[in-house]
Amino acid sequence: MLDTIWTGQSGQEIIYPWVDWLQNSSLSYLNVDDRIPLASSEKAGNARDRRAFSESVSPDVDIPYILNYNAGKCNEKFCQNLHECSICLSEYPGTKFVRLPCSHFFCRNCMDTYSTMYAKESLEIPCPQMKCREPVPPGLVRSLLGDENFDKWELQMFYKTLDSMSDLVYCPRCDMACLEAEDHLAQCPQCFFTFCGLCGDRFHVEVQCMTSEEKLKFLQQQRKELDMINKLLNVEEIKRTTKQCPKCSMAITRTSGCNHMHCTRCQQDFCYKCGKAYVKGKKLCCAYFDFNHETDSEALERRHEVLLQQQGQKPNKMQADDPTSSRVHSCPLCSQMNAKVEDNNHIFCWACQKQYCYLCRNIVEQSSQHYGPKGCKQYSAG
């Protein structure tokens, strides 16, 4: 037919008549009504014109190629024109729209807001068009939500999918998802705990699960036992960290200071070290007991004796009998009374275990640096 047109229009332009015939008359000339049968070039035989050739491989390749070509051209035409968004009713160029597989399209701003709202509540994000519930593909959802929000939505969708499974239970120990058998037997793949899918207890063969009332009663009994254990532990901790008043048995703890304890409940004084009560006028019960009564000559004498025994010296009765003597002074750190031994100005406080100078009343860290030509004298009379 192209040869006929060529011969009939000799000497004239031929390209435009050929194109016009191919566009408008070729299908009717080939008796094509509503479809075009495609076949590979091998099946065409040798009856075709030698000038005509086809690069077709097979319909399975040609048809997707034709459809992709058509979709690309349609998208190119769509991007070049203005369109109205059916959500916000505003006009934008085609490049500002998101096209869904169901052929509906909406502006990107509306789709971003719509997807973010639906991702917080719904398992799937449907098409915004009325009466169209086609889901938005996950790849398009990722581009709308962003990677971080998409991961959260995907995780939420995963958990909702798990919850919708009737044969899925969770391990009562590690909360791992497990598949339940027909007899409600389930085994955790992580901690290997075998349990009943109905009640969550250890798997019990031919034994009915506990009712809610029975389980409540069992848990209440366990709670009572736990409370009793906590009370016993508290009592043991109190016994370990406190001492009881010898008169009223009040638990008293010492945070700092000496062993002299005063009970505010019954006004009893006692020794924190040995726990014995102090009765004024009687001999001290414990060598480490500190009464903190500066006018008690017996207490001063006892402390002086302990001090001298620790230093390997004999007590000087004249110094200890006179509590107002100038050789007895209080520690500058804890205010406990300590006596000067003979001519040694280096005083050791029994109460706070510190050393200080009798002359300047300062704490002595190293005696070799404190006493000397430029410091205090370590030995002096008076």
Side-chain angles (χ1 to χ4, degrees), residues 116-135:
T116 303
M117 177 187 66
Y118 251 91
K120 295 179 180 179
E121 303 175 356
S122 177
L123 184 63
E124 292 182 345
I125 301 178
C127 172
Q129 187 69 27
M130 295 293 295
K131 298 182 180 181
C132 179
R133 306 304 297 175
E134 289 292 327

Side-chain angles (χ1 to χ4, degrees), residues 275-335:
K276 294 183 179 180
Y278 164 66
V279 180
K280 188 173 182 180
K282 290 187 177 182
K283 192 175 181 179
L284 299 179
C285 58
C286 183
Y288 294 96
F289 186 83
D290 180 20
F291 291 94
N292 202 18
H293 297 313
E294 299 181 2
T295 60
D296 193 336
S297 60
E298 187 176 347
L300 291 175
E301 179 182 356
R302 181 60 179 167
R303 283 197 297 271
H304 189 210
E305 291 177 1
V306 173
L307 176 62
L308 294 180
Q309 289 175 3
Q310 291 176 349
Q311 296 181 355
Q313 301 180 18
K314 295 182 179 181
N316 189 336
K317 301 297 288 184
M318 294 182 63
Q319 294 175 0
D321 289 341
D322 186 7
T324 60
S325 172
S326 60
R327 298 176 65 89
V328 179
H329 288 281
S330 61
C331 174
L333 190 62
C334 66
S335 301

